[in-house]
């Protein structure tokens, strides 16, 4: 991706503070069982190069591939044809800071479903707020 391209959007970045040890948060964001509770069902495995699918409801199965894993601090994977998701965890005393980064946005591109990145980015940016609230409730339950 050309970072100097004027059509490239900034990544979506959302951070939440979770009142839980880092390992509990890691287990929720780095296992298929954990991810299914707060995000989407999948056949995820925490192994670099593992190809998996997120069950994206009406959009069907979204192909993904694990690109980086550094337990319990970082997990990255590709999502669909253009996007990347990164989960960053940082332990701060009895709180774990969880940051989600959704990158790969380009105003000149459309999703596999024919929707412009411009349209989807705004919807996803808002959607992540609710998804991370669900993660917080799952973790702090």
């Amino acid at each position: 991706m050309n970072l100097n391209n004027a059509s490239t959007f900034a990544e979506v970045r959302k951070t939440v503070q979770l009142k839980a040890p880092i390992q509990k948060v890691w287990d929720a964001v780095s296992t298929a069982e954990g991810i299914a509770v707060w995000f989407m069902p999948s056949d995820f495995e925490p192994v670099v190069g593992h190809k998996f699918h997120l069950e994206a409801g009406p959009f069907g199965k979204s192909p993904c591939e694990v690109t980086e894993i550094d337990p319990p601090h970082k997990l990255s994977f590709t999502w669909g044809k253009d996007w990347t998701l990164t989960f960053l965890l940082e332990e701060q005393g009895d709180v774990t800071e969880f940051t989600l980064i959704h990158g790969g946005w380009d105003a000149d591109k459309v999703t596999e479903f024919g929707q412009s990145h411009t349209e989807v980015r705004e919807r996803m940016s808002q959607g992540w707020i609710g998804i991370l609230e669900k993660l917080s409730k799952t973790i702090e339950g």
Side-chain angles (χ1 to χ4, degrees):
M1 179 191 325
N2 179 355
L3 296 178
N4 296 321
N5 185 342
S7 67
T8 302
F9 291 120
E11 60 200 15
V12 173
R13 184 179 282 258
K14 304 289 182 189
T15 300
V16 292
Q17 305 293 322
L18 302 167
K19 295 179 187 89
I22 195 168
Q23 191 61 49
K24 182 176 182 181
V25 179
W26 180 253
D27 291 344
V29 303
S30 68
T31 63
E33 299 78 17
I35 292 169
V37 173
W38 64 275
F39 185 33
M40 292 184 211
S42 72
D43 53 345
F44 173 84
E45 289 181 24
V47 177
V48 171
H50 176 70
K51 292 179 179 2
F52 66 101
H53 289 88
L54 288 170
E55 300 288 342
F59 297 105
K61 293 182 178 217
S62 287
C64 302
E65 183 176 343
V66 178
T67 56
E68 188 175 350
I69 189 153
D70 178 18
H73 300 285
K74 183 176 184 181
L75 166 66
S76 294
F77 58 90
T78 60
W79 181 16
K81 65 182 183 69
D82 299 317
W83 296 330
T84 58
L85 278 183
T86 300
F87 303 154
L88 299 175
L89 289 75
E90 184 179 328
E91 196 163 36
Q92 301 173 337
D94 59 351
V95 171
T96 299
E97 181 178 86
F98 175 80
T99 300
L100 177 142
I101 304 166
H102 186 170
W105 301 102
D106 187 325
D108 296 332
K109 291 186 178 180
V110 295
T111 68
E112 297 89 318
F113 311 105
Q115 297 172 313
S116 74
H117 277 214
T118 305
E119 174 188 353
V120 176
R121 185 185 181 283
E122 184 57 33
R123 190 168 52 235
M124 287 298 296
S125 182
Q126 294 304 309
W128 282 123
I129 295 168
I131 292 168
L132 292 185
E133 285 175 2
K134 192 171 182 182
L135 173 62
S136 294
K137 289 177 183 166
T138 299
I139 295 292
E140 297 175 358

